[in-house]
Amino acid sequence: MPFVGLAQFFRRDIPALTPGPDGADLVQIFRCPFNHGPYLERRYHLRWRRAAEAGRAERCLATPPEVPMLRWEHELPEPCVLHPEEVDTYPWAEDDTLPASLIAGIDAWDDAQAAEHGPEAPSYQYDLSIPPGWRVGGFPSWASTGPMAINCESCSTPMRLLLTAGSDEMDAGSHSWLPLEDRDPSLLGKATIQGGPSVAQPTRLRFGRDRDLHLFTCPSDPGHPPQWVLS
């Protein structure tokens, strides 16, 4: 049964992207259309290619494979075009992801903001640290599980985040990341999202309740097996 394509991006569009095995510069992410095992787990597949060679694949498939019958609408991605935008992100502030003194300072800043601005106050975790939605590189969000150490199963090297796939591209708690063109200018405080589900959930995919799918790869050898983490 063919896998369902989730994402494809080129290194030429994301200069900071680390090359894949043998200098591969095209990343493709796939998901099996069915659940597996007693816990109904999803299985994913990472494929590295060379962009110059992938262009010839059009001659190999005269008719694309048909998508199997899926149980839920959110299991079939809505086609989207990526427009990469580079932003600065910072680690999740919990446990030992940052020095204890720095986390204490962040907590104090959050408390001061809440005292001054009330429920509409900005916070480090939501407004400064990690944006919601799909992103390449940066730091993982650990909102559901708490920080975890992700090490390569082949060489024990700490793995690097390649891609985060989010169920929602934006949310009310991450006001600072919300594009200006998607805000309702008539409202104050946390801006409401305009455009409905097509804006907030452009891919239509879900990765569990309020969770993100993180794809980690080995910085020592990108050919080592990746790891997929829901958090």
Side-chain angles (χ1 to χ4, degrees), residues 57-134:
E58 296 177 359
R59 300 196 301 266
C60 301
L61 292 176
T63 304
E66 294 185 5
V67 177
M69 183 177 294
L70 300 175
R71 187 173 183 183
W72 307 107
E73 184 183 38
H74 64 255
E75 293 177 339
L76 180 64
E78 181 73 22
C80 298
V81 176
L82 298 175
H83 299 281
E85 180 178 356
E86 187 174 0
V87 298
D88 291 326
T89 62
Y90 301 93
W92 190 261
E94 187 180 352
D95 294 344
D96 57 353
T97 58
L98 290 172
S101 59
L102 184 54
I103 293 180
I106 291 173
D107 291 340
W109 182 85
D110 283 342
D111 292 341
Q113 294 298 311
E116 181 177 356
H117 301 287
E120 304 296 342
S123 67
Y124 172 86
Q125 217 78 298
Y126 280 107
D127 295 283
L128 298 175
S129 175
I130 301 171
W134 291 63

Side-chain angles (χ1 to χ4, degrees), residues 121-196:
S123 67
Y124 172 86
Q125 217 78 298
Y126 280 107
D127 295 283
L128 298 175
S129 175
I130 301 171
W134 291 63
R135 55 191 181 274
V136 176
F139 301 96
S141 56
W142 301 114
S144 299
T145 63
M148 295 186 291
I150 309 298
N151 298 322
C152 178
E153 295 179 348
S154 299
C155 65
S156 299
T157 300
M159 303 190 84
R160 180 181 300 157
L161 181 64
L162 173 65
L163 173 75
T164 296
S167 300
D168 300 299
E169 193 64 22
M170 57 191 71
D171 57 64
S174 301
H175 173 70
S176 66
W177 303 104
L178 190 62
L180 294 176
E181 59 270 24
D182 295 325
R183 301 184 185 188
D184 186 340
S186 66
L187 299 180
L188 299 175
K190 299 291 186 182
T192 59
I193 300 169
Q194 296 191 116

